[in-house]
Amino acid sequence: MAKSEIDKWTTPEGLIQLEGWARDGLTDEQIAHNIGISTSTLYNWKNKKLEIVESLKKGKTVVDREIENALFKRAKGFTATETQYKVVPLDDELIDVRRRDYENKWKLKHPEASKQEIQDAAIKGVKTTRRIKLGLVEKEVPPDTTAAIFWLKNRKPEEWRDKHETELSGGLNVHNPYANLTDAELKKIAHEQK
């Protein structure tokens, strides 16, 4: 008996593939497209096979945690270690030796090439500088206020949301005193203000 499509994706290999797509940040719609099914079919599969749900959830959890950690780190600021380099010119004699060697090798691969083509290839193919590692330097990356605000708005929405509405006794909305009026009352006020 042939395996059904859903059974192919509940094998260990199929579940690893689903988890990997979820870990890569793909949405359910994108994962369904990769499988070659509709999104509604994927939702049906998730209702039928717990292992599919768990595999997708496991993959998404990893990425979500990585992003949360990166956002938290960026919001607080951090110390980064960078490798510093310096570019220095090579000695002219060394460049000439390397170019002659390059010319000889290039001439063997391209016997029909002209002398100018060989020289041009050597000039283009031989570096005239080199990068020297100077060492590691610690650098302070300051907190990112946008990341901090985003974090706080999501973690403490009651304290950090942009719009605060306060109700007075009688249910009057402070931000929109006309919110509880009927259409007739609004028309009357508009007519009186003319």
Side-chain angles (χ1 to χ4, degrees):
M1 177 181 230
K3 274 189 169 185
S4 70
E5 191 68 19
I6 192 172
D7 291 333
K8 293 177 189 175
W9 291 98
T10 55
T11 63
E13 296 81 18
L15 293 171
I16 288 171
Q17 182 68 56
L18 293 174
E19 182 181 331
W21 284 332
R23 187 175 45 251
D24 290 344
L26 272 63
T27 64
D28 283 351
E29 291 79 12
Q30 293 168 322
I31 291 170
H33 174 79
N34 286 355
I35 295 171
I37 59 174
S38 68
T39 306
S40 59
T41 300
L42 179 60
Y43 293 147
N44 288 335
W45 286 9
K46 288 167 69 173
N47 288 331
K48 291 179 184 174
K49 300 285 186 170
L50 183 60
E51 56 264 45
I52 290 177
V53 174
E54 290 173 349
S55 185
L56 293 172
K57 186 176 180 181
K58 184 177 177 185
K60 290 176 183 180
T61 300
V62 171
V63 170
D64 291 346
R65 289 290 178 220
E66 287 175 354
I67 299 299
E68 287 172 2
N69 290 338
L71 177 64
F72 180 72
K73 181 178 177 181
R74 191 68 184 103
K76 285 184 60 182
F78 58 95
T79 302
T81 304
E82 293 182 348
T83 305
Q84 288 193 332
Y85 296 91
K86 180 179 180 179
V87 176
V88 296
L90 292 174
D91 180 66
D92 288 340
E93 289 180 31
L94 180 59
I95 294 171
D96 287 340
V97 168
R98 287 184 178 175
R99 283 186 179 159
R100 279 194 303 274
D101 183 51
Y102 193 95
E103 286 175 1
N104 290 331
K105 289 178 181 175
W106 207 80
K107 193 185 310 184
L108 290 172
K109 290 182 182 178
H110 305 89
E112 73 291 341
S114 70
K115 184 174 183 178
Q116 186 62 49
E117 288 174 327
I118 294 169
Q119 287 175 346
D120 290 345
I123 288 170
K124 188 176 178 182
V126 174
K127 293 182 180 183
T128 59
T129 59
R130 70 177 176 150
R131 200 168 76 148
I132 299 173
K133 182 177 176 180
L134 296 177
L136 299 176
V137 176
E138 284 193 352
K139 176 182 166 185
E140 288 297 319
V141 178
D144 182 314
T145 53
T146 303
I149 290 167
F150 183 81
W151 181 270
L152 290 168
K153 282 183 178 183
N154 284 283
R155 294 278 291 194
K156 299 174 116 185
E158 293 303 318
E159 297 173 43
W160 287 92
R161 70 174 160 214
D162 290 328
K163 183 178 176 183
H164 291 278
E165 293 185 6
T166 308
E167 280 197 16
L168 301 174
S169 60
L172 181 65
N173 184 321
V174 173
H175 292 290
N176 185 0
Y178 306 109
N180 297 328
L181 298 179
T182 65
D183 287 345
E185 292 170 323
L186 290 171
K187 287 179 184 176
K188 181 180 176 186
I189 292 170
H191 182 69
E192 290 172 356
Q193 291 180 352
K194 285 184 182 181

